[in-house]
Amino acid sequence: MSYTRFDAVEEAFARPPVKAVPPAPATSEYYGCCVFNRKNMRKYLSSDTRQKVYESIEQGVTLNRDVAEQVAAGMKRWAMDMGATHYTHWFQPLTGGTAEKHDSFAEPYGKGESLEEFTGKLLCQQEPDASSFPSGGLRNTFEARGYTAWDPTSPAFVMGDTLCIPTVFISFTGEALDYKAPLLKSEAAIAKATADILKYFGIENEFIYSYLGWEQEYFLVDASLYAMRPDVIMAERTLVGHNSARNQQLEDHYFGCIPSRVLEFMKDLEFECYKLGIPIKTRHNEVAPNQFEIAPVYEQANLAIDHNLELMAVMKTVAEKHGFKVLFHEKPFAGINGSGKHCNWSIGTADIGLLSPGKTEMENLRFLTFTANILKAVYDNNALLKASVMTASNSHRLGANEAPPAIISSFLGTQVSQAFEELLNTDDMVRIGGKSKYSLGIPQIPELLIDNTDRNRTSPFAFTGNRFEFRAVGSSANCSSAVTVLNTIVASQLVKFKEAVDRRIANGESQVKAIMNETREVYRSCRDVCFDGNGYSEAWKIEAQRRGLDCETSAPLCYDAFLSEKTVETYKSVGVMNEVELRARTEINWEIYSKKIEIEARVLADLTANHILPVSTRYQSILLDNVSKMKEIFTETKDFQQVAAGEIQIIKDIAMHTSEARALSVAMEEECDKFNAIESQREKAIKFHDVIVPYLESIREHVDALEMIVDDDMWPLPKYRELLFIR
Ligand code: ADP
Ligand code: MG
């Protein structure tokens, strides 16, 4: 007997929890032990060298080769003491995930001898074989080579037996080939633009950061059941599968008790995260069965993103140890909540959060100034912001009836909305809500008490007290894509704002009045982006269109926003990417989109032909056999019809669904072959979206109908009810 779905289910349900590694008594004893952090640097680097490294991390000062040589020597000793035998430049190609090529420290020389070697040059720069990564034509246009360069602002770490050095990946002519390089440039851009505005508020010589706190959602499935689902293995989602009778209707999973098997996994995961200095803070169940979330305390965006990518890698290994597979796909199961990665984003100095309303009038004006400019940037670039999070997998969330809709609007909450409305309606000399004239000419904005009670869960870009929460980001995404766009558009808007304020000052307005008047105008021009209602309603779609918000749901068309004149100008104005780089990225987006859909199409066609149809026709034959035998017993036509009508109908249904599914699969594959010949990546992606995606949906309908008809004993694929409930 061959291994069946039932063997897998039995295995899954009988699997005892794997005891997590008992953590050391207190996290403080091992936190960050696998990171080349300050504590470890103190042991392995001289104080001069450390000083230089800190300057580089905190102020972006470039490290010279001598210092790099010292750092490399210390880093090597530390890594070898940690048991590392290899090192790698760890980078973030546009295909998603991370890439690494491991080199051994061992440097064999002479006759049968070897030395451990790691120089400053090896630390600073490497040349991986870039040809296997997509470049969107960049390397054809320029050089066939790309190199990785050390990013000292994100500390090196040891994972397994390898020293991992965070790097950017760029072409020899300097174009970014990865996610990190533009992110770092966008951080510099927003730091500069923000610092220029802060001078008005008496804050100078402070370094500015963009901060990010992500919330990673994911699904777990049992490894044995996973192994029986070729669609989940290859496309990370179920391409077929009828809804389970019980899924999330009861909403009893959210914040419910975590199954013990999962809890042990989480403990292990947290242990591994703490060793890597990932500041994990919360863990809980999510809305859907088998869905969970893990979130850290926010950090500087660049570091937070590296930590998120490290987490995703660690999760896969830890899950395997516990007999799970972790799914980062945004929509692994139809009809059940998808997974996102909310990006909580803010800007600030080391001590001051600029999106926190303050206690004084000046602080509140500062808050309104930055908030208004962010809203304006989001309003003017809402299509671009959506494009930054749109992927083949995330498009199942965006625009579908679940948070958030495919229209980027912002929710402010009552207090902040009111403060802005007051600013609009007040003559600046009049005190809000009061009678007396205000001598400084600052509207006395009441102290804002930010409530978190009226949080709007359908808003894609919600103000949540001291930050904006961008909820449209997909669970499998590299957050850099979204954060780079946010930093860039806000930086560019702040530059424009400063120019306008300076013009007002030159025309005789006082500085405070100029800021206030300009903030009012900025808010007035973009208040249409604010929406506090139900983002799922049909009425909102119509209203959003009227307000000039982008309502496109087709991913390939959304990507056009990267190449609009406005986007190119915005990116250029703050020096984050040039037009060639933007075009390359967009080409890659289209290419990846087509490839993902094509994989789904091929897998589904395979599944239909090799799993579903054979089983369905086998079951049909059993019924046919039964019916023809009945005919021998019930010789009267009337009697026969009465007893066999039901089965005959099922036979007909199976015939209809199998023939339809077969015909659609064949046609879909033919279309795929045809579309593959299309030269233009954009045109190709549009075809995959417009033609192939509907095929996937209709084939699924037939297969899911068959799942409900065919004998449960014969069905080869683990069903939703088996995949979705961990015991
Ligand atoms: P919720 O699920 O209620 O949205 P969580 O506590 O799960 O909230 O996640 C909120 C995230 O926002 C955390 O990572 C938190 O550190 C982060 N965060 C809090 N304040 C800021 C801020 N000023 N800037 C960026 N992120 C922040
Ligand atoms: Mg959240």
Side-chain angles (χ1 to χ4, degrees), residues 14-82:
R15 210 189 285 279
V18 177
K19 263 271 170 258
V21 175
T27 51
S28 55
E29 290 190 19
Y30 62 94
Y31 190 86
C33 67
C34 293
V35 182
F36 199 50
N37 54 16
R38 286 178 189 232
K39 188 170 162 197
N40 287 323
M41 279 190 223
R42 271 198 294 277
K43 282 192 227 152
Y44 290 88
L45 299 182
S46 73
S47 80
D48 273 1
T49 309
R50 284 201 316 269
Q51 216 44 51
K52 293 278 187 324
V53 176
Y54 299 160
E55 276 170 21
S56 166
I57 295 171
E58 283 158 16
Q59 295 147 36
V61 179
T62 312
L63 286 177
N64 68 33
R65 280 290 154 120
D66 279 349
V67 180
E69 222 42 83
Q70 303 297 323
V71 177
M75 203 185 266
K76 180 186 78 179
R77 278 194 295 122
W78 167 74
M80 286 176 57
D81 286 349
M82 290 293 296

Side-chain angles (χ1 to χ4, degrees), residues 247-308:
N247 49 43
Q248 65 190 52
Q249 303 97 323
L250 299 175
E251 296 202 341
D252 50 357
H253 189 67
Y254 196 62
F255 285 164
C257 145
I258 299 172
S260 58
R261 249 185 92 189
V262 178
L263 195 60
E264 293 301 323
F265 155 76
M266 286 176 169
K267 282 193 214 160
D268 243 356
L269 176 61
E270 281 164 12
F271 180 53
E272 293 302 323
C273 285
Y274 290 149
K275 288 203 301 198
L276 286 164
I278 307 173
I280 296 304
K281 189 78 187 159
T282 53
R283 60 177 182 210
H284 60 77
N285 285 359
E286 263 304 322
V287 182
N290 280 21
Q291 193 189 25
F292 308 93
E293 178 184 300
I294 181 164
V297 177
Y298 69 99
E299 303 174 280
Q300 278 175 40
N302 176 38
L303 189 57
I305 289 166
D306 284 358
H307 278 163
N308 179 243

